[in-house]
Structures are given as structure tokens and as C-alpha cells.
Amino acid sequence: MTTVLDCSYQRMDPYGTHEGDADDEDEREETPQDMIIHMVEGNKARWNHIEDLDSFFTRMYHYHQKHGFACMMLQEISELTRFIFVVAFSTFLVHCVDYSVLFKDRITNSTSSKTTITDAILSSSECAASMHLGTWICILVAAMFWILRFFIFLYHLTQFWDMKQFFNTELKIDDRDLDNLTWHEVQKRVIEVQKVQEMCIHKKDLTELDIYHRILRFKNYMVAMINKSILPVRLKVPITGDIIFMTRGLKYNMELLLFWGPWSPFENNWHLKEDYKKLNKRQELARLLSKHILWVGVANFLLCPLILLWQILYSFFNYGELIKREPGTLGTRTWSLYGRLYLRHFNELDHELNARLNRAYRPASKYMSSFTSPTMTVFAKNVVFIAGSVLMVLVSLTLYNDAVLTVEHIISVMTILGGLVACARTFIPDENLVWCPETLLTAVLAHTHYRPDSWRGYAHTQSTRSQMAQLFQYRAVHLLEELLSPLLTPYILCFHMRHRALEIVDFYRNFTIEVAGVGDVCSFAQMDVRRHGNPMWQTVAHSPTVSPLPTEDHSMGYDNRYGVDPEKLHVPMSNHYTQAEDGKTELSLIHFTLTNPEWKPPSYAENFVTALKERAKKEVNAVPDNNPLITSLNSLSGLGPGYNNIVTSIMRSTAINQASVPSISNIFTNQPGTSGASVGVDQSLSTRSDALSCAVHHGLRRAEGPLLNERGFLYSLQQVFSNQSLGTSVFEPGHEASTDLSVPTELTAADMSLSTLYLHELHHRQELATLPEVRQERIPLLSHQDSSLRRNQQS
């Protein structure tokens, strides 16, 4: 099918919208009779020159992750229905139930000897008469909110139907096949479609980084602000001291103010307001932003009663049945919202982050459980003994004669006693627990990739444990924080965040760059180790030079408007203000190269990764003592049987194998530990097929990236080891052991874990070498002592 379009060329911004250029003029000249006729087949014009690519790629990502059109719309309808149920059921319980009849405080005229539910339910007229003005106001506000949500649902319906057509017609992916494709495979098809459709007009070829930038534009800013401690997430509590407080309500208000709200610094999804890029506007913009934060805080204060009521009702309906069925659920742990931001890489999608934190859950739980209080243990055992004894007596009486259940409040007493026993047991340590906190915290680091330098060597201390608890908190604490959020959010906005307005304005100006075809992005998201890296996290220090960029303050990147080739710039050495904390830039770069092997990085990024791998290769035959590579491999082997098989397979018949690297996998499994030399090739080959099937079973649909990456550590080390011993690599397609490394964990995750451990080991050794001269790096989890220095640099 062909369609004839009369296309009048319009100006558009350079980030996916129409604009006239030289190519357009040439086409206009070649068209007879000065008329532009485009012959398009099918739906090509439908996806050509998409105005808001940020929203389009975000919807595309959500469409894949949420299993397609039907599932997404069902979820939206479910949320609308759930909202109606909470409001209607709550109103019914408050105004339509006669509790005096239900509790038999008043005798009814019913002929039946037993009180029925219908006896306790009031008529509709009585319900309406019992409702006061406050109830009607709440219902009116809820109805207005539901109508707004309904129109949003209709808008989403049209958006995701359009996305369904894009997946089915352009990407050639049916909804039934979504769960069989990784995001990496979908992204490759999108890049190919761009060459035909030209969804982004400003550049012909999209890169993986372009897509990530558009999906994670605001998220990268948020991660960078947490990393540089710009956002006020710390509160001083009189008794407990400093605590981290970040809830969904507070995060929503911060994003409303900083990114997508009507008064936010962004003009649209892809462009920061020009005033925020001017140094002479900083004071004026800070006062304006401070005023907007104040008004949002006041609005939160006025709506606090309604929001608090909704939080209580939703939490009760959401967690009530679960707590009754499994009281110990509140004693389990979950990653806090702050922890998810602190541990997130730049340019890391949600499913990639979730996969990492899910793998870290078990060692993190074991680490936190290894800390016990002798006093609390004695108290908990006493509670379990007394409450358990009473509970067992009541249960025995119930089994003997079920008439016991008719005793008033007997079921409530049994439920409370069961809850006490379950909660108290969480404070009683496992008798067979092995006390090895440093090893457990290293296992956590292998998956989370970040930790403050102060934790190394102090994993056994309560200080480290309390800081880890801020990242990995009890579900009960998480629930309590969400309930307190409506009360504390106005306070934080008005009395904490408002005073950070100038720092926020300076952050936007100093750390925003313009990228061709993408728009304004956080410069940290470029993962430029020259501008935002730390020499203590790199193998080769950069020499300082003078920057030719025409800036008056801390300008953090190149601007294409100046026509300067960024690869030819003499970039100055980064300082403490421009460096990302805890090696965030370096680790983010390694993570992105592993999850996107087809990405062609800039020369500085390629040089950094290459230098790191070359150093590792040189340490293959180095002295085993004090060898960072052997230390990293040793730590990797302790993450479980799958990782131990990886280490064994890459070390067999090599010099390192002869060094007999010990295995500590018995800490995480019930199997006895073995050395790297004792686990032979036969064992690796015998588990090869089972491991491969297990890898597929563990959900490669949500894997971070492909199973094989030639840029990874595992590949480069395997090449070295194979050349020394076998003369060929197990990664070669025709090799008989080509699936040795197909283990229950994804190879990309194992590769990233090894890279993380190795980079942290190098960082630690470089810090030790320069300890008298270099101040210890700032720790985001602790109070910062250099806030005055940062403010002086900004001004």
C-alpha cells in the first residue's frame, strides 16, 4: 500500500523533531513542480520523525518488560478497580455496619437464634444518613482522582496500542514472543529499524547509549544527585542519630520539582531551560526554585490528612492478610529506595538493577543475620518459650474440644501469640551459622558493586552493619517509613530541600551537556573517566592539561554547538567536585560495555577498559602472593557453585591453577570446600549440560545482556589461559568445551562481579600506596565533612 503525503517542511528541535536542512532542500529541488511527494509503504510515515523519542523509547521498554498490551491494560484496569474497592469498602465499614449488633452488645428482633451478617448491615438510607461532611469531601476528592486516573488510562490505551502496532509491524515481534526475547535483542531490532524509519531525524544511526540516555535521562540525574549528596535524604533524630529517609512520596515530589513538573528546570523531556546554563542566573533561579519547593511543601501539608488516610488504608488492605498468614514477613529485609539509587549504575535499566539486587539478597541477608545481640537473644528465647507454651495449651484444648473456639477473643489471643513467636524467632540466631562477615560482605559487593571504603576490614563492626541496614532494611521499617511519609515529606521539602536550591541549580549548570540527537543529559551518564573518573580507581593517571572550553565555572563536558571534536580535547584532570564517588563512573562504564557488547565506545572509554584487562593479563603469571587478580578470583569462587565452576574452568592447567586458589563456596552451600586445583576439568564438563539448562531456566529473558562478551574479563582471561595450556579458547564456536562457562548464573553477571572485585582490589592497593598524601574518599552514607569546600567551589 502506498500513501501520498503533501509534506510542508517544518522546523523542529534537533532531538527527534522536524527541521529543514540541506538534504531537504536538495530533495525539494529534485521534486518536479516544486511539490514534495513521499511514497511510503505500510506504516513507515507513522514512525518517521517521532517528536518525543524519550517517551516513545520508555513506552517501548515498559511494553517489553510488562509482557505486552493485554497484560498492561489488565494491570491498569486492576488498579482502577482496586482504588474503587478501597474507597467503597472503607466507607462501608465506617458507616454501613452496626458494630453493636455484630459484637452482640445489642439484641436484634431477628427470629434466628444466631446473629447473621445481614443483621449487622444497615440499610442504604441509614448509611447515607450516617455520613457527615468530612466523609462526603473524601469521597468527592477520591472520585475526582479516579476520573483523572480513568482519563490517563484512556490515554495509555491509545499509546500502548500504538506501541503494539510498532512491535508487531516494525520489529516483527508478536506479543506471544515477548517473553522469549531479551531487551538486548529488542534493542538491536530498534537500531536496525532506525536506519529505515528514521525515528530520530538528527542522526542516521542510533547507538545503545542513545537509547539508554532517552529512557534514563531523569533517572541518571537522580542517581548522580544521590551520589554527590545533593538531595537531602538524611535526617537527624535526637535519640537514634542520623537516619536515611527516602520514601515513594518524597521521591515523587522531588521528581515533580526537578524533572517533569510545571515549574521544573526542564523545558521539555529532552531540553534544560537555557537560564539554568547561565552562571549569572544562578541566584535568581535558586530563589525561584526555593519558592516552588516551598509551595509544593505547603500543598503536601494541606493534603497530608487525605494522603495519610490513604496510606493507612492501602497498607492495611495490602499487608493485613499477609501479616496474619505470615507474621515473620515484617522481619524479612528488602532493599530500601535510597539503596536502589545509591547502588544503581549510570545507564542501568530497571530489570538490570533488579537482577543484581536479587542475586545480592541471599548473601546480604546472611550478613545482616550474622549480627546478633546476646541480650536480645535471651529476651527473644524467653518470649518464644512463654508465648509458645500458652499457644500450645490453647491449641491442645481446641483439638480436645472445639467449643473452646467459642470463648470470647480466644482466636484473637491465639493469633497474637503466634505473631509474637514468629517475630521473636527472627532475633534468635541460627546455631549452625558461621561467623564470617568479611567474606559475606565481599559476596554482597560482588553483586551490588558499591560500598564505602570504610567498610573494608570493618565488616564485623556495628557501624558497618548499621550503614548496611540503611541500604537493606526490614520490611517493617520500610512500612513504617511509608506511613510516616505524608507527615515528614512537607517538613523535608520546606526545611531541608529548600536550602539546597542553589546547589541544585549549580549541579544542573555544571553537569549538563548537550549530546547530538539526544538533547541535554547528565554529564555523569556519559561515563567519561577523564572528566568524572577518579585516578584512585584507574590503572593509569591522566596528566593535567588546560581546557579550551569557553566556560566560566566547572563545565563538565563538550558542547556540540562549539564545533569541537571531543576526542581531540585536552581535558583537565578531574577534581573532587567533578569526580563521582565510590568509583561510580568506572564501574558504570564497565557495566555498560558488558551489557551492550555492540556499543562502540569513545577512545577514552576503550582505553580504560583495555588498560584494565591488560593489567589483569599481566598478573596471570605474577607471584601469587599479594596478587589482586588471584584475590579477586578467590572471592568470585566463593559466590556459589556456578561461580566456582567458572573460576575452575578458566584456571585449569595454568600457573594460577598450580597456585591452588582455595574455594570458599562452602560458606554459601552445604557442600565442603575444595581448592581450585582439586576441582578438575571432568567435574566442570560433567555439569556442563545441567548448568546450561539451569541458565535457561533461571530466566535469560530478563538477563542483563548476552551470555558472551569479548570485552569481558572472562573472555580475555580465558584466551590467555587457553593459549598457555590448550592452545585454543573454550569460547571458540567449534571447541568441544564451548559451553564450560554456561553456568546457572548469567556470564555477564559473573563477568561484572569479577570486574567489580578486581577494580575494588586495585583501588584499595592504590589508596594504601598513597595513604599519607590522599585524603580518604567521601562516604555518601556518612555525614560529609567537606560540604563547605563544595560550596566554595560552586561559588
Side-chain angles (χ1 to χ4, degrees):
M1 175 181 178
T2 59
T3 305
V4 179
L5 299 177
D6 183 9
C7 300
S8 57
Y9 280 76
Q10 303 176 11
R11 290 290 301 178
M12 288 185 76
D13 65 277
Y15 313 118
T17 54
H18 292 282
E19 65 174 349
D21 52 18
D23 295 337
D24 297 338
E25 293 298 331
D26 293 340
E27 186 176 357
R28 185 184 297 272
E29 292 176 0
E30 294 175 359
T31 305
Q33 301 177 356
D34 293 331
M35 184 176 181
I36 306 169
I37 300 177
H38 284 222
M39 305 298 292
V40 268
E41 297 182 0
N43 292 322
K44 181 172 182 179
R46 188 175 183 179
W47 320 114
N48 191 262
H49 302 174
I50 298 174
E51 181 176 356
D52 188 359
L53 276 175
D54 283 39
S55 300
F56 183 80
F57 286 151
T58 301
R59 293 196 303 270
M60 180 176 63
Y61 174 70
H62 289 162
Y63 192 88
H64 173 259
Q65 292 296 306
K66 295 181 179 180
H67 317 288
F69 179 81
C71 188
M72 296 181 68
M73 291 302 101
L74 184 62
Q75 178 65 28
E76 294 265 354
I77 295 173
S78 175
E79 291 179 0
L80 290 174
T81 306
R82 191 182 307 169
F83 183 83
I84 294 177
F85 172 79
V86 171
V87 174
F89 191 52
S90 301
T91 305
F92 172 80
L93 291 177
V94 174
H95 295 284
C96 299
V97 178
D98 190 343
Y99 290 96
S100 61
V101 175
L102 187 65
F103 298 147
K104 295 185 177 180
D105 295 333
R106 182 169 61 89
I107 304 300
T108 63
N109 296 326
S110 176
T111 57
S112 176
S113 59
K114 293 184 178 180
T115 302
T116 62
I117 295 179
T118 56
D119 295 333
I121 297 177
L122 301 177
S123 63
S124 58
S125 59
E126 292 175 316
C127 286
S130 65
M131 294 183 185
H132 47 74
L133 180 62
T135 302
W136 287 110
I137 292 177
C138 292
I139 293 176
L140 178 62
V141 173
M144 294 173 60
F145 181 77
W146 187 88
I147 293 173
L148 177 62
R149 288 290 303 270
F150 179 73
F151 282 109
I152 294 176
F153 162 72
L154 295 179
Y155 176 65
H156 288 172
L157 180 66
T158 59
Q159 282 188 321
F160 287 106
W161 178 260
D162 184 69
M163 188 55 59
K164 174 182 173 63
Q165 299 302 313
F166 179 76
F167 267 79
N168 297 158
T169 59
E170 298 301 324
L171 300 184
K172 310 299 182 184
I173 301 175
D174 191 79
D175 283 10
R176 294 172 298 179
D177 299 327
L178 281 174
D179 290 345
N180 300 323
L181 296 173
T182 65
W183 168 252
H184 178 258
E185 294 169 319
V186 173
Q187 186 173 252
K188 288 174 62 177
R189 298 196 186 191
V190 172
I191 293 175
E192 293 299 321
V193 169
Q194 159 65 16
K195 299 176 182 179
V196 178
Q197 291 286 356
E198 293 188 9
M199 297 175 290
C200 176
I201 188 176
H202 193 69
K203 57 189 307 185
K204 177 67 175 178
D205 297 325
L206 284 178
T207 67
E208 292 81 0
L209 187 59
D210 293 338
I211 297 177
Y212 274 70
H213 273 334
R214 289 188 175 276
I215 297 175
L216 300 170
R217 189 189 305 272
F218 296 152
K219 186 70 69 177
N220 283 329
Y221 272 104
M222 198 76 173
V223 172
M225 288 182 179
I226 290 292
N227 182 259
K228 298 299 292 184
S229 302
I230 300 296
L231 299 179
V233 296
R234 185 176 306 278
L235 295 178
K236 291 185 178 181
V237 180
I239 298 177
T240 60
D242 287 358
I243 63 170
I244 298 292
F245 187 83
M246 170 67 82
T247 62
R248 286 177 294 181
L250 179 60
K251 180 172 176 285
Y252 176 86
N253 281 276
M254 288 181 174
E255 292 175 343
L256 172 69
L257 287 163
L258 300 179
F259 303 125
W260 54 267
W263 303 308
S264 72
F266 280 85
E267 187 174 324
N268 48 44
N269 284 344
W270 58 86
H271 185 63
L272 186 70
K273 294 178 181 177
E274 289 298 326
D275 286 349
Y276 277 85
K277 302 178 183 179
K278 299 175 182 178
L279 180 62
N280 58 352
K281 293 281 189 178
R282 61 191 297 265
Q283 294 291 345
E284 177 185 349
L285 291 173
R287 287 192 296 268
L288 189 63
L289 180 60
S290 176
K291 184 176 69 173
H292 294 159
I293 295 174
L294 176 62
W295 282 114
V296 172
V298 171
N300 275 267
F301 177 75
L302 296 177
L303 295 175
C304 176
L306 292 178
I307 299 175
L308 180 61
L309 177 62
W310 169 256
Q311 287 280 57
I312 293 174
L313 292 176
Y314 184 81
S315 300
F316 177 77
F317 291 133
N318 194 37
Y319 294 101
E321 189 275 335
L322 180 63
I323 294 174
K324 178 183 179 300
R325 178 166 41 89
E326 299 179 15
T329 301
L330 295 179
T332 60
R333 291 184 176 270
T334 183
W335 295 102
S336 67
L337 190 57
Y338 171 80
R340 296 178 68 86
L341 291 171
Y342 172 76
L343 298 174
R344 189 167 193 153
H345 292 296
F346 296 122
N347 301 311
E348 183 176 27
L349 294 170
D350 290 341
H351 73 281
E352 298 169 353
L353 175 66
N354 292 335
R356 284 201 299 118
L357 297 185
N358 289 343
R359 286 191 292 268
Y361 185 87
R362 181 171 296 179
S365 297
K366 289 185 177 181
Y367 171 75
M368 299 302 294
S369 299
S370 63
F371 288 86
T372 58
S373 171
T375 304
M376 184 60 70
T377 300
V378 173
F379 179 76
K381 287 182 178 180
N382 194 44
V383 170
V384 169
F385 178 81
I386 295 176
S389 300
V390 176
L391 179 62
M392 287 306 301
V393 170
L394 294 177
V395 171
S396 300
L397 292 175
T398 302
L399 294 176
Y400 177 75
N401 189 345
D402 58 0
V404 177
L405 294 176
T406 61
V407 178
E408 187 176 14
H409 301 310
I410 191 66
I411 297 179
S412 300
V413 172
M414 295 175 64
T415 302
I416 294 173
L417 290 175
L420 282 175
V421 172
C423 292
R425 286 189 181 278
T426 60
F427 296 98
I428 301 176
D430 185 2
E431 296 179 355
N432 300 317
L433 185 66
V434 178
W435 174 252
C436 198
E438 198 68 42
T439 301
L440 288 170
L441 196 57
T442 301
V444 175
L445 171 66
H447 298 303
T448 60
H449 303 166
Y450 295 103
R451 72 177 181 190
D453 292 337
S454 62
W455 289 10
R456 187 182 181 97
Y458 293 92
H460 61 284
T461 63
Q462 285 292 334
S463 174
T464 301
R465 190 257 183 200
S466 62
Q467 294 178 49
M468 180 65 184
Q470 294 174 341
L471 304 178
F472 195 56
Q473 61 185 185
Y474 282 116
R475 288 187 182 274
V477 175
H478 171 76
L479 180 60
L480 180 62
E481 288 183 351
E482 292 296 334
L483 292 177
L484 293 176
S485 178
L487 302 175
L488 294 180
T489 295
Y491 169 76
I492 294 175
L493 293 176
C494 295
F495 298 100
H496 288 267
M497 187 173 178
R498 201 160 60 90
H499 301 308
R500 298 287 185 95
L502 184 58
E503 292 185 45
I504 294 172
V505 171
D506 288 336
F507 183 90
Y508 275 122
R509 185 184 68 258
N510 294 328
F511 299 110
T512 296
I513 63 172
E514 183 181 331
V515 178
V518 178
D520 292 329
V521 300
C522 181
S523 59
F524 285 102
Q526 288 291 93
M527 302 172 295
D528 190 342
V529 293
R530 305 168 303 174
R531 297 178 177 87
H532 299 306
N534 190 331
M536 291 293 99
W537 286 87
Q538 299 176 20
T539 56
V540 180
H542 300 293
S543 59
T545 55
V546 180
S547 172
L549 293 178
T551 56
E552 302 179 31
D553 59 336
H554 302 285
S555 181
M556 291 303 105
Y558 62 92
D559 190 332
N560 290 336
R561 293 174 298 180
Y562 294 98
V564 180
D565 184 359
E567 299 299 327
K568 298 180 180 179
L569 288 177
H570 299 283
V571 182
M573 178 184 293
S574 59
N575 53 41
H576 184 75
Y577 178 70
T578 66
Q579 294 169 0
E581 308 296 335
D582 297 318
K584 179 77 77 173
T585 304
E586 290 79 6
L587 288 167
S588 296
L589 175 58
I590 294 175
H591 179 266
F592 193 80
T593 57
L594 288 176
T595 53
N596 297 275
E598 291 87 4
W599 177 58
K600 297 179 181 179
S603 60
Y604 61 83
E606 190 71 41
N607 293 339
F608 168 76
V609 177
T610 302
L612 200 62
K613 290 195 299 184
E614 290 300 323
R615 175 163 181 170
K617 290 179 181 180
K618 291 180 181 179
E619 292 172 350
V620 168
N621 292 320
V623 179
D625 295 338
N626 201 30
N627 189 320
L629 179 61
I630 291 183
T631 303
S632 303
L633 289 171
N634 183 24
S635 300
L636 183 68
S637 67
L639 300 184
Y643 291 94
N644 190 36
N645 288 344
I646 291 178
V647 176
T648 302
S649 64
I650 67 175
M651 292 193 308
R652 62 181 183 271
S653 303
T654 65
I656 290 185
N657 189 17
Q658 297 171 2
S660 185
V661 180
S663 170
I664 51 177
S665 60
N666 59 307
I667 296 176
F668 303 93
T669 63
N670 294 326
Q671 299 176 355
T674 57
S675 66
S678 63
V679 182
V681 181
D682 293 338
Q683 176 185 355
S684 177
L685 294 177
S686 65
T687 60
R688 181 176 58 198
S689 58
D690 294 338
L692 178 60
S693 61
C694 189
V696 177
H697 178 71
H698 274 67
L700 298 185
R701 172 178 55 83
R702 293 291 179 262
E704 292 99 315
L707 288 180
L708 174 58
N709 192 332
E710 296 185 2
R711 293 178 181 169
F713 264 54
L714 295 178
Y715 183 87
S716 59
L717 291 178
Q718 184 66 47
Q719 290 288 332
V720 176
F721 296 147
S722 298
N723 292 336
Q724 291 180 352
S725 58
L726 303 178
T728 182
S729 171
V730 298
F731 285 96
E732 294 179 2
H735 196 270
E736 62 179 0
S738 60
T739 55
D740 277 354
L741 301 186
S742 296
V743 293
T745 51
E746 298 91 335
L747 285 184
T748 301
D751 215 334
M752 187 64 209
S753 295
L754 176 59
S755 303
T756 297
L757 295 171
Y758 184 64
L759 196 59
H760 273 269
E761 189 67 28
L762 293 179
H763 167 65
H764 174 65
R765 293 167 191 251
Q766 291 193 52
E767 276 205 331
L768 291 179
T770 58
L771 191 59
E773 304 174 5
V774 179
R775 184 184 62 177
Q776 187 177 12
E777 192 174 354
R778 200 175 51 169
I779 304 172
L781 291 177
L782 302 179
S783 299
H784 302 330
Q785 304 298 328
D786 55 354
S787 57
S788 59
L789 172 62
R790 181 177 61 200
R791 292 189 179 93
N792 292 335
Q793 289 176 323
Q794 291 172 342
S795 58

